[in-house]
Amino acid sequence: MASIPEYYAGKSVLITGATGFMGKVLVEKLLRSCPDVKALYILVRPKAGQSMKQRVSDMMKCKLFDRVREENPDFHQKIVPISSELTQPGLSISAADVERLTACVNIVFHCAATIRFDEPLKHALQLNVIATQQLLSLAQQMHHLEAFIHISTAYANCNRKHIDEIIYPPPVEPKKLIESVEWMDDGIVRDITPRLIGDRPNTYTYTKALAECVVQQEQDKLNIGIIRPSIVGASWQEPFPGWIDNFNGPSGVFIAAGKGILRTMRANNDAVADLIPVDVVINMTLAAGWYTAVHRPKTALVYNCTTGGINPFHWGEIGEYHHVMSSFKRNPLEQAFRRPNANITSNYLINQYWILVSHKFPAFIYDLFLRLCGQKPQMMRIFNRLHKAIHLLEYFSSQDWEWNSENMNMLMGQLTPEDRKTFNFDVRQLNWPEYIENYCIGTKKYVLNEDMSDIPAARQHLRKLRNIRYTFNTLLVVFIWRVFIARSQMARNIWYFVVSLCFKFLSYFRASSTLTN
């Protein structure tokens, strides 16, 4: 049986969502680990003020491609951009491009999707379901297609506590829903959305479940595989540790905590934060593409790509005395608002108290200072956006799921020893403290574009913030003394009683230690 690089040699691959986070990693990995791949056709949407070719050129200049650039400076010649718009009929692919794709494509990787949790249902349906239907229609016209791999999400069926590697019945027939909302006004669709999505938390998970059903309907005509990653985070090993390029999901939380903006978050400390490194997802995706094409399973195989049941990481490990906070104290972000220090609690009232004390009050004081300096206030707006983002995550940070991973284990068992090293997706080997350290450094280097040589200055800034905090606390104690205690005989008596009690306890403790010695 051919190895994975041998299989992809001479193959033409179509990738949607190639300019997105996962898509870029997929493109890079294919070019680097399967150097004999013939061509990568990528669907690209021209943006306002930026042509399709310019977008692809900017993408290839990204640091992500440094390794493949060193090994093959002409790697860009294998990338063929195709103008496309997922919201348009036929994906807005020209007739000439359709003819070219149907004549040569061997494997399709469908990564494109909207991942916004608060996306309006109509738009989420268009991008996640209708676009998938149209891509499947195009795939059926491809004369040499060997595999169609669809990237879904482990939370597509988050209304269930135990999730097997099967495609569950959809909450509604996708075709009927699409036909119904087509004629509805956006306002009407918005009003009925909560009833439609039912016990799912958002339109993202809802439409992803519908998309799986749409893909399943074509399993008799195409060789199909479905990858279900959980919360996709920074790279673990490839192309280098800690690569990340966005604020989505945990990245935004980590940065907000590292900047000292996030001080409280409602989550279950013991709940599993099912993070999965992006390179693990991509390695499994390429392996699944190989397996699907070579073995041609009779039904669509689903691969739950998760860590929780194998090598868990918990939400409580974000907090003050755990990996994330300690990492940012060693490698602080520049111009932090406060020292990194986050409180994770599952109690609603405690969380609201800390939001008031640690978020809203400091934001109000800071904005007042900016106004007095003649500048535009901004901190309250930043905190409001942060609270909205954290609120959208609460559903996932407050509970656990169990995912079956038999197909993932089966796929791993099918790989040669060499392929297991090159396309490693064995999360049992993942060292969480090391990974989180690299993740936090990655947010600093690749998202915020901060230089590691400036860490001494950032540490000095943290010490300055610590001194300001101590000074403020001292002044607050003096103020309380002057206003409340110094003016009341009863308050002074209580104060002296507490102080004398403390001294007695210390004396007793010192005497006990002496006797013990």
Side-chain angles (χ1 to χ4, degrees):
M1 189 182 299
S3 68
I4 294 177
E6 288 171 347
Y7 167 74
Y8 283 105
K11 294 293 193 293
S12 294
V13 180
L14 174 64
I15 301 173
T16 69
T19 57
F21 175 49
M22 286 179 56
K24 279 189 279 195
V25 179
L26 175 59
V27 169
E28 192 277 340
K29 178 67 176 180
L30 259 174
L31 291 169
R32 181 167 48 82
S33 297
C34 305
D36 295 324
V37 66
K38 184 178 180 181
L40 303 185
Y41 293 91
I42 63 175
L43 300 189
V44 182
R45 174 173 60 91
K47 279 188 173 180
Q50 196 177 31
S51 67
M52 174 187 68
K53 289 184 178 179
Q54 185 62 47
R55 286 192 71 190
V56 175
S57 176
D58 290 347
M59 179 186 84
M60 290 187 290
K61 290 175 185 173
C62 174
K63 186 173 176 59
L64 172 71
F65 292 92
D66 282 358
R67 277 186 65 183
V68 70
R69 192 179 291 110
E70 289 175 7
E71 295 169 13
N72 178 17
D74 298 324
F75 75 94
H76 61 276
Q77 293 180 0
K78 293 189 176 184
I79 297 176
V80 184
I82 302 290
S83 181
S84 176
E85 174 55 74
L86 298 186
T87 60
Q88 298 300 315
L91 306 179
S92 195
I93 302 174
S94 70
D97 284 336
V98 168
E99 188 176 344
R100 178 159 54 156
L101 293 174
T102 54
C104 68
V105 168
N106 304 111
I107 308 105
V108 174
F109 291 108
H110 182 34
C111 305
T114 174
I115 58 172
R116 283 183 54 190
F117 288 172
D118 56 350
E119 192 79 72
L121 179 59
K122 217 170 187 178
H123 198 233
L125 275 173
Q126 180 65 57
L127 289 170
N128 293 348
V129 183
I130 299 173
T132 302
Q133 284 181 330
Q134 296 187 348
L135 187 65
L136 286 163
S137 177
L138 176 63
Q140 289 176 32
Q141 301 173 48
M142 294 176 179
H143 309 310
H144 307 289
L145 187 69
E146 297 173 10
F148 184 101
I149 305 300
H150 173 70
I151 307 298
S152 183
T153 171
Y155 296 99
N157 302 285
C158 58
N159 55 327
R160 299 171 181 268
K161 286 299 178 185
H162 182 86
I163 301 167
D164 287 313
E165 291 175 308
I166 62 173
I167 300 170
Y168 291 95
V172 65
E173 176 59 40
K175 186 178 178 181
K176 290 181 179 177
L177 178 63
I178 292 165
E179 290 173 352
S180 298
V181 301
E182 214 169 60
W183 58 267
M184 288 184 189
D185 179 77
D186 289 349
I188 297 174
V189 176
R190 185 172 58 250
D191 291 340
I192 65 172
T193 294
R195 293 187 65 183
L196 284 172
I197 66 176
D199 51 2
R200 284 180 172 81
N202 50 53
T203 57
Y204 170 67
T205 56
Y206 179 73
T207 53
K208 276 299 196 178
L210 296 178
E212 286 191 0
C213 174
V214 165
V215 172
Q216 183 188 35
Q217 290 170 356
E218 307 302 327
Q219 65 183 358
D220 295 332
K221 304 169 189 172
L222 301 171
N223 299 319
I224 289 171
I226 296 176
I227 310 295
R228 285 183 184 156
S230 48
I231 305 171
V232 183
S235 61
W236 169 26
Q237 296 171 323
E238 300 179 274
F240 37 79
W243 187 79
I244 183 77
D245 72 344
N246 61 76
F247 289 90
N248 297 333
S251 305
V253 173
F254 290 177
I255 290 171
K259 285 282 189 181
I261 296 173
L262 177 68
R263 281 298 180 90
T264 183
M265 177 179 170
R266 192 175 175 213
N268 183 344
N269 280 278
D270 298 322
V272 172
D274 209 296
L275 284 176
I276 188 80
V278 63
D279 49 334
V280 169
V281 181
I282 296 308
N283 286 339
M284 182 187 285
T285 299
L286 289 171
W290 161 81
Y291 183 85
T292 304
V294 171
H295 291 271
R296 299 177 180 270
K298 293 180 180 179
T299 59
L301 283 183
V302 178
Y303 303 88
N304 286 337
C305 187
T306 61
T307 57
I310 306 167
N311 183 3
F313 173 78
H314 300 90
W315 286 104
E317 295 178 77
I318 293 175
E320 180 179 5
Y321 302 108
H322 291 89
H323 308 318
V324 177
M325 292 302 101
S326 58
S327 176
F328 279 126
K329 285 173 182 175
R330 286 190 298 272
N331 307 287
L333 302 179
E334 294 175 17
Q335 297 301 311
F337 178 61
R338 288 175 295 193
R339 285 174 59 81
N341 179 9
N343 172 56
I344 309 294
T345 178
S346 58
N347 187 289
Y348 174 79
L349 292 177
I350 292 175
N351 184 57
Q352 289 301 308
Y353 166 78
W354 283 115
I355 285 176
L356 181 65
V357 172
S358 295
H359 288 182
K360 293 187 175 179
F361 181 68
F364 173 77
I365 296 296
Y366 189 76
D367 281 350
L368 182 62
F369 172 75
L370 290 177
R371 280 194 176 94
L372 293 173
C373 294
Q375 298 181 40
K376 187 178 179 181
Q378 59 177 352
M379 196 52 67
M380 191 63 80
R381 177 172 51 85
I382 291 172
F383 274 109
N384 287 337
R385 288 175 60 189
L386 175 65
H387 293 155
K388 182 181 178 183
I390 295 296
H391 178 70
L392 292 172
L393 284 174
E394 276 185 13
Y395 178 90
F396 304 96
S397 62
S398 58
Q399 52 189 317
D400 283 313
W401 288 267
E402 292 178 9
W403 285 278
N404 185 305
S405 55
E406 288 179 7
N407 287 344
M408 184 178 78
N409 294 331
M410 176 277 295
L411 182 61
M412 199 181 303
Q414 293 289 323
L415 303 186
T416 64
E418 187 61 34
D419 280 348
R420 284 190 198 178
K421 291 179 183 177
T422 308
F423 301 89
N424 183 19
F425 53 89
D426 186 358
V427 295
R428 292 172 298 184
Q429 301 171 16
L430 181 61
N431 180 290
W432 282 113
E434 181 185 352
Y435 173 71
I436 294 299
E437 177 92 4
N438 289 326
Y439 197 150
C440 293
I441 292 173
T443 61
K444 177 180 177 67
K445 291 169 65 176
Y446 310 121
V447 180
L448 301 177
N449 295 313
E450 295 181 3
D451 199 320
M452 295 297 286
S453 63
D454 293 330
I455 282 181
R459 287 175 181 157
Q460 179 63 33
H461 180 68
L462 285 192
R463 286 192 288 269
K464 180 181 173 183
L465 292 175
R466 180 195 59 194
N467 294 337
I468 291 172
R469 179 188 171 195
Y470 288 163
T471 303
F472 176 80
N473 289 346
T474 303
L475 291 174
L476 186 62
V477 169
V478 171
F479 174 79
I480 292 172
W481 170 267
R482 294 297 300 168
V483 173
F484 297 102
I485 297 177
R487 296 186 181 183
S488 168
Q489 182 63 43
M490 182 180 290
R492 283 201 301 273
N493 291 340
I494 294 172
W495 173 262
Y496 293 139
F497 173 75
V498 171
V499 170
S500 63
L501 204 63
C502 290
F503 274 114
K504 285 179 181 178
F505 174 77
L506 289 171
S507 301
Y508 172 77
F509 181 75
R510 192 180 296 114
S512 299
S513 300
T514 304
L515 288 172
T516 304
N517 292 333

